[in-house]
Structure formats: C-alpha cells, structure tokens
Amino acid sequence: MYFISLICLAILLFGTAASLRAQDESKQDEPQQEGQRQKDKDQQKQDETKSEKKEEKRNKGEALPRLKAVIWHSTIDVNQLNLFYGAGGKEDAPSPDAKYKFKKEDMNGTSPKFDVEDDKGIKWRVKLGQEPRAETAATRLLFAAGYFVDEDYYIDELRVEGLPTLRRGQSYVTPDGIVHGARLERKMKEIKKLGTWDWFKNPFVGTKEFNGLRVMMSLVNNWDLKTINNSIYEVNDEAEYVVSDVGATFGKTGDPLHRSKSVLKDYEGSKFIDKVTPEFVDFVMHSRPPLLAAINIPNYEKRTHMQDVTKHIPRADAKWLGERLSQLTEEQIRDSFRAGGYTQEEVEGYATVIQNRIAALNAL
C-alpha cells in the first residue's frame, strides 16, 4: 500500500507541475477555440525549449570578437530626449501607410511573431499579443536611462500583403487582412547578434551602470529575466549588451498563476522596494514557481535565481539611476506610454507609478 501511495503521490505532483507549466505565459495567449489554443501553447513550449537549447549550444565555448564591451552610454540633456519615438527617432519610424510584405513566421518564444519587409526594403519583426504595448514603453524608459535597446515602434493597425493564416496570433488579424496591435522591431544589416549574456556572469558585474540596469528591471516589473532575452550586438566595433525582450513588464511579478503583463491595476498595486539597509537595497521581484512545481528542478531553480537580479544593490547606485531618471519631464514619461498605444487614462496611471518610483529612488 505504501508503494502504491507513493506512486499516486508522484502522479499527482507530476500532473500538478505539468498543469502549472502549461499555464506559464497562458495569460498572453489570444482567445480562440480551446483545441487550437492548447495546440498553440504546446507548440510554443516546444519552440521555446528548442530556441533556448540552440542558443546555449551556439554560445558554448564561443569567444567574442575583440570588441569593447559596453552596456550604457552617456546622453546629455536627458530632458530633451524624444521618448515618443525612442532610440530610433522619428526618422526610423515605420509608416502605417507603407506597403508591408509578409516574409516568414517566427515560432520562437511565447508571443506570436512574423517578419515583414516594407516598400523601402527595410525589414521588421512584428510581435503580437499582450507584449507589444509594454515592450514599446519599456524600451523608451531604458533608452532614457542610457541603456541600449532595440528600435521598437507600436502600430495599432497594419496591413500586410501576402499574409497567410498564422499558426499563432491569427485572432489579431481581422477578415479584411488588417493586423491589430503590432510592435515593429527594425532589423538593421549593420547590427550583428553575437550571442546572449547572463545576469550573473558578464563584464559589468559590480559597476553602477549594471546595477542601474538591475534596478530598471524592477522599475518596470520585468519578471522574465531569462538569459535568452539578453542579447550581445556587434555595433560600430563595440559589443553592446542589451536586454532585448522587455515585453513581460508593467504588470505584476510572481509565479505563473499570478504574474501579468501590461495590466495597470496590477502594476499600481505592486510593491517596488522590499528592504533597505545602510548600504544596500532589495527591490521586489517574484518569479519562483509554486513548491509543487519543483518537480521540474531546472525550471524551478532558474526562475528562483531570477529573483536575485534585483537584490543587494548598492544604495548609491540605485540613487544614481534615480537622479538620472529625475531629469525626465512628466510629458516625456507620458510619451513613453503614448508610444505604446495606451489610452489616456492608462498613460496617466502608468506615468504616476513611474514618477513615484523615481521619487523613491531619490529618497534612498
């Protein structure tokens, strides 16, 4: 009987853990028929796992070229930055009226994505789902803080020629062929991706610039701090270290059952600073799965370790970041969220939280 009980308990734990894993990221899946939705989630899991393994294999033992490694750049006149258009500026912004031709669908990651090319020959990666608005806004704030970011733009309606039935994200396409709620990331030939970088092993550990980036992850509530979301780009003979996927932001951090993306009430209700000592600050970051999910040990350890990214940060470094962000005007902060297509009510709500968090940093 004891042996049978152990088997039953193991089955129960395995089933519960599997259920939790299936729910991981499920809030961002588009509404559709149950059978198709489950198929999409299973496919996403498989593709994400393959993508992570491929990236790990690609970077294992691969030495970076002899380039200067950079993670931050100084920008004068912070209060003059255009945060509606962000790092790429108005000159690089995509035109809603341009002709976009479908190239291929990208099945990596958890958000629906596909590539297009406009009538000027510029290539863009289109992302759909719950991340486009949050990611667009987050890149503006990171850019304002002095960090390298992708050139992301949000377009509410996008017409794509030759668009097939998408394996993921078809519910964001209306019968007349219009794609709704799209983030367009500009792809540039002069930028080469060298690989990924780890939060705990990189050339910048211990520097104020890197610690400021750690604070930024808590400032925007970015709970998806996987290595695969960090990129190293070769740009102008430098190796730029970038947090290249910041879509899991402006919601609530937590386990798969409770975290969220781009939900104002969750962001407003979340805590920013956890603990302050004379020398260090711990910022709030929850990503540990429920204990029952520990049966998947690698995922449990990885998600638990993510919480340490925003812990034990020197007060002086956190305040340094706050002083830089305090140079932003209220209108610039609002523009960051206007760029993401948020409603005026949402813009005001998000901007208020950001201003309060900046004030908290400066009060350290």
Side-chain angles (χ1 to χ4, degrees):
M1 287 293 294
Y2 178 70
F3 180 72
I4 295 175
S5 298
L6 286 177
I7 293 177
C8 291
L9 178 59
I11 293 173
L12 176 61
L13 289 174
F14 180 80
T16 303
S19 176
L20 288 171
R21 291 196 303 271
Q23 292 181 56
D24 193 11
E25 321 294 351
S26 63
K27 291 182 180 180
Q28 70 187 30
D29 289 334
E30 62 273 11
Q32 52 182 294
Q33 295 298 321
E34 185 62 31
Q36 184 61 41
R37 182 166 62 245
Q38 186 59 48
K39 181 179 179 182
D40 286 348
K41 287 192 290 185
D42 292 343
Q43 184 64 49
Q44 289 172 15
K45 284 292 181 182
Q46 294 174 16
D47 291 330
E48 183 174 17
T49 300
K50 290 179 181 177
S51 180
E52 288 182 347
K53 289 182 178 180
K54 180 180 179 181
E55 195 67 45
E56 290 173 1
K57 182 178 180 181
R58 176 173 180 256
N59 292 310
K60 186 176 181 181
E62 180 181 345
L64 293 176
R66 294 185 179 277
L67 303 172
K68 178 184 177 182
V70 291
I71 198 169
W72 183 86
H73 58 95
S74 178
T75 304
I76 61 173
D77 298 328
V78 174
N79 59 6
Q80 297 300 312
L81 295 175
N82 187 325
L83 296 192
F84 183 80
Y85 288 106
K90 186 176 181 179
E91 58 272 19
D92 281 359
S95 170
D97 301 323
K99 294 181 179 180
Y100 296 89
K101 184 177 180 180
F102 177 85
K103 303 300 289 185
K104 65 177 181 179
E105 187 169 4
D106 182 352
M107 296 302 295
N108 293 323
T110 56
S111 292
K113 295 184 289 291
F114 59 89
D115 294 338
V116 298
E117 184 176 330
D118 65 21
D119 44 15
K120 295 181 180 179
I122 300 172
K123 296 180 180 179
W124 304 86
R125 174 149 295 174
V126 180
K127 178 186 279 190
L128 306 175
Q130 285 190 322
E131 294 192 3
R133 294 186 179 192
E135 186 157 37
T136 302
T139 58
R140 270 49 180 180
L141 293 172
L142 282 164
F143 167 63
Y147 296 100
F148 299 102
V149 296
D150 292 323
E151 292 190 11
D152 290 345
Y153 299 90
Y154 177 84
I155 293 183
D156 192 53
E157 294 186 353
L158 180 73
R159 181 178 293 278
V160 180
E161 296 179 354
L163 184 67
T165 299
L166 298 173
R167 293 171 62 187
R168 300 190 297 169
Q170 185 60 33
S171 63
Y172 296 99
V173 183
T174 53
D176 57 356
I178 301 296
V179 178
H180 293 268
R183 181 231 62 185
L184 272 65
E185 177 190 332
R186 187 183 178 100
K187 312 300 290 185
M188 291 175 278
K189 295 180 180 179
E190 59 270 26
I191 295 180
K192 177 184 178 182
K193 183 175 179 179
L194 301 176
T196 58
W197 60 273
D198 186 275
W199 283 102
F200 303 97
K201 295 179 181 179
N202 63 74
F204 310 100
V205 171
T207 66
K208 69 177 181 181
E209 293 82 7
F210 178 65
N211 290 332
L213 183 60
R214 295 166 63 197
V215 176
M216 285 298 301
M217 295 302 100
S218 186
L219 184 89
V220 300
N221 279 10
N222 183 16
W223 49 258
D224 199 12
L225 301 175
K226 297 193 296 286
T227 298
I228 198 173
N229 290 336
N230 299 335
S231 299
I232 304 174
Y233 297 137
E234 181 180 348
V235 185
N236 297 326
D237 296 324
E238 292 185 330
E240 292 183 356
Y241 282 61
V242 180
V243 182
S244 51
D245 190 332
V246 286
T249 49
F250 301 117
K252 177 171 58 176
T253 68
D255 61 52
L257 298 176
H258 301 97
R259 62 190 179 218
S260 61
K261 306 174 184 178
S262 195
V263 179
L264 177 57
K265 65 178 181 179
D266 287 351
Y267 188 56
E268 289 176 324
S270 62
K271 187 179 178 182
F272 181 41
I273 297 177
D274 183 32
K275 183 175 67 175
V276 180
T277 70
E279 295 184 358
F280 298 97
V281 186
D282 284 352
F283 293 88
V284 176
M285 178 61 64
H286 301 299
S287 59
R288 179 187 290 116
L291 186 58
L292 287 176
I295 193 170
N296 183 352
I297 295 176
N299 180 68
Y300 187 84
E301 291 180 341
K302 179 176 66 176
R303 287 288 177 182
T304 300
H305 198 33
M306 286 180 190
Q307 298 183 159
D308 294 332
V309 171
T310 64
K311 300 294 189 292
H312 206 65
I313 295 175
R315 288 181 66 171
D317 294 351
K319 187 156 186 167
W320 166 79
L321 176 72
E323 290 172 350
R324 180 178 176 84
L325 293 177
S326 66
Q327 298 177 54
L328 294 172
T329 67
E330 294 181 7
E331 201 64 15
Q332 282 177 299
I333 296 174
R334 292 190 186 100
D335 277 346
S336 298
F337 294 96
R338 292 191 184 105
Y342 287 103
T343 66
Q344 187 57 38
E345 181 181 357
E346 290 171 325
V347 167
E348 295 298 332
Y350 281 118
T352 297
V353 178
I354 293 295
Q355 289 172 301
N356 289 339
R357 293 191 171 194
I358 293 174
L361 292 176
N362 283 290
L364 290 172

